[in-house]
Amino acid sequence: MFSFQSEAIFHLGAFRITNTIIDTLLIDIIIFAASFVLAKNIKLVPGLYQNIVEIIIQLFYEIAESVSEKKVKKIFPYFMSFFIFILLANWSGLLPGVNSIGFFEKGKLVPILRSSTSDLNTTLGLALISVAATHILSIKTIGISNYLSRYFSLNPINLFIGILEIISEITKVVSLSFRLFGNIFAGEIVLLTVSSIFAVLLPLPFLLLEVVVGLVQALVFSMLTMAFMAILTTPHHDMLDNTRKARH
Amino acid sequence: MELIKNFGLDPLLLGAQIINFLIIFYILKRFAYKPVLSVLKKREDLIKGSLKQAEESKKILEETLEKEKTILKNTQKKAEKIIEDAKNRTQEIARETEEKTRKQTEYMISTGLGKIAQESKELEKRIALKVSKLAIEFLQKSMQDVFGEKEQKQFLDAALKKIKKVDWYED
């Protein structure tokens, strides 16, 4: 049966090349190829491929602009990159052969490919980058003193709130990583279970459901990252002012 | 630790995934977002510039048309004035010419009349001379057979004197 841990296909010294790493590398190849082809053939009068890419990028840029306003140029690359990578990783698990083609080891099927986001290492890595980038952007945008004032204060109430903020930053990592991991991992188990019960037609609605889940999860992760970035790049006192204004 | 191990957490894999995503992030930023956003901005600027240029061209065209109208109006006014001036000048010239012609005619008439009078006088003189010669000739021929040479001469001299006297008085 499926295990939380990704399965090692081979080893490079101490480094385990797992099926999720192979999946990640395949996604990398797709992204690199798409980016290089785009960069090489980019023109003022676009072709079909450039047009599609432009539509997608412009759509996401406008979404990011509506949330982050003036900070869009800094936040947009994170938002878009998380979305592209997670979407491709989520959907890669739905391709025929992924999770099903492999070899048997100790009476257990070891698939050669497994969706990258069904590995906690990937989702945790993404969550760590998301939170770290948020804090780096925050320091760069509002300055170190303003950034620290969010967490540390001489006022006991604000200090208590600051401690809660620190805890929330840790929970952000946990929630982002486990939400994505849980959804995709559970989806793959469901598909595997349904396929093992009846392989013809029955998995189809679940596959469609997983397509939607993959898209939604990619959007949730990238949107949350963008929202966190937008919040943390706004000075603390500005946010308090805005809250007071909203109350009145 | 057991829980983390159960979830398959591996620091090496975690590090590899972090590095992998950072590379993807750089590639996408460098080769996808930057060129696409720059092309979009260029296109937007181009469209904005073209629209602005079109607006300016329209404005210039309107101004030119307005100027053309004004120039045409002014030219029409000038042309009307020139025509009016020409008319006045023509009338003036016609009047002057008429006056000049009238004076010339009057002068010609007056000179003609003088000449005619003079010529008439000369003609009269010549007629008188001719008549005198004819009278003398007639007297000579009439007296040839009647009077002697001496008497003829005396008679002719007296007649000549009388004729000359008449001529002088008449002059």
Side-chain angles (χ1 to χ4, degrees), chain B residues 20-37:
Chain B
N20 175 70
F21 182 78
L22 289 176
I23 294 167
I24 284 176
F25 176 74
Y26 172 75
I27 296 286
L28 281 172
K29 199 176 171 184
R30 170 83 177 73
F31 295 102
Y33 312 143
K34 212 175 168 185
V36 169
L37 289 174

Side-chain angles (χ1 to χ4, degrees), chain A residues 58-191:
Chain A
Q58 201 165 19
L59 175 76
F60 277 80
Y61 191 85
E62 278 165 14
I63 293 169
E65 201 171 24
S66 69
V67 176
S68 51
E69 293 166 354
K70 286 174 188 171
K71 292 158 274 178
V72 65
K73 277 186 183 166
K74 285 178 184 169
I75 294 173
F76 168 73
Y78 291 99
F79 169 56
M80 191 80 211
S81 302
F82 278 124
F83 177 76
I84 292 171
F85 180 75
I86 295 169
L87 184 75
L88 289 177
N90 291 351
W91 282 355
S92 71
L94 308 176
L95 292 171
V98 178
N99 289 324
S100 56
I101 296 175
F103 53 89
F104 282 96
E105 200 179 67
K106 292 172 192 170
K108 205 177 115 185
L109 177 73
V110 177
I112 295 170
L113 286 170
R114 180 176 153 181
S115 167
S116 182
T117 39
S118 67
D119 183 355
L120 188 64
N121 290 304
T122 312
T123 57
L124 185 64
L126 293 173
L128 284 171
I129 293 170
S130 163
V131 174
T134 305
H135 287 270
I136 292 166
L137 267 182
S138 175
I139 293 168
K140 273 188 181 173
T141 316
I142 61 172
I144 187 83
S145 59
N146 223 328
Y147 169 77
L148 288 174
S149 73
R150 186 184 292 272
Y151 305 104
F152 306 105
S153 172
L154 292 173
N155 183 330
I157 296 169
N158 285 344
L159 186 67
F160 178 69
I161 294 169
I163 292 164
L164 290 180
E165 288 270 6
I166 292 168
I167 295 167
S168 87
E169 292 306 316
I170 297 162
T171 54
K172 263 183 202 172
V173 178
V174 178
S175 73
L176 278 173
S177 56
F178 275 88
R179 184 189 300 109
L180 183 59
F181 165 71
N183 273 289
I184 303 307
F185 185 76
E188 286 187 355
I189 288 176
V190 166
L191 279 178

Side-chain angles (χ1 to χ4, degrees), chain B residues 79-134:
Chain B
E80 275 170 11
K81 199 175 179 282
I82 288 167
I83 291 166
E84 192 63 38
D85 286 352
K87 262 185 192 174
N88 292 340
R89 183 78 189 127
T90 314
Q91 278 175 353
E92 206 176 304
I93 289 168
R95 238 180 285 132
E96 278 172 9
T97 316
E98 204 180 327
E99 187 68 24
K100 216 175 174 180
T101 316
R102 195 178 55 77
K103 276 180 183 171
Q104 217 166 356
T105 316
E106 275 174 7
Y107 171 74
M108 276 168 77
I109 290 167
S110 62
T111 15
L113 282 172
K115 258 187 183 175
I116 289 166
Q118 203 179 346
E119 273 173 14
S120 303
K121 268 184 185 175
E122 276 175 15
L123 202 63
E124 270 176 27
K125 250 184 192 178
R126 266 191 273 167
I127 290 168
L129 202 67
K130 199 90 182 172
V131 169
S132 306
K133 275 181 183 174
L134 276 172

Side-chain angles (χ1 to χ4, degrees), chain A residues 4-5 16 21 24 28 32 35-36 38-39 44 46 54 77-78 80-82 85 120-122 125-126 129, chain B residues 6-10 12-14 16-18 20-21 24-25 27-28 31-33 35-37 39-40 42-43:
Chain A
F4 284 131
Q5 198 171 11
R16 287 191 311 131
I21 287 282
T24 307
D28 288 354
F32 291 169
S35 301
F36 289 130
L38 178 72
L44 204 60
E54 275 182 14
Y78 291 99
M80 191 80 211
S81 302
F82 278 124
F85 180 75
L120 188 64
N121 290 304
T122 312
L126 293 173
I129 293 170
Chain B
N6 282 341
F7 275 112
L9 270 180
D10 180 343
L12 274 176
L13 283 179
L14 180 68
Q17 290 289 7
I18 289 173
N20 175 70
F21 182 78
I24 284 176
F25 176 74
I27 296 286
L28 281 172
F31 295 102
Y33 312 143
V36 169
L37 289 174
V39 160
L40 285 173
K42 255 188 210 170
R43 203 177 296 142

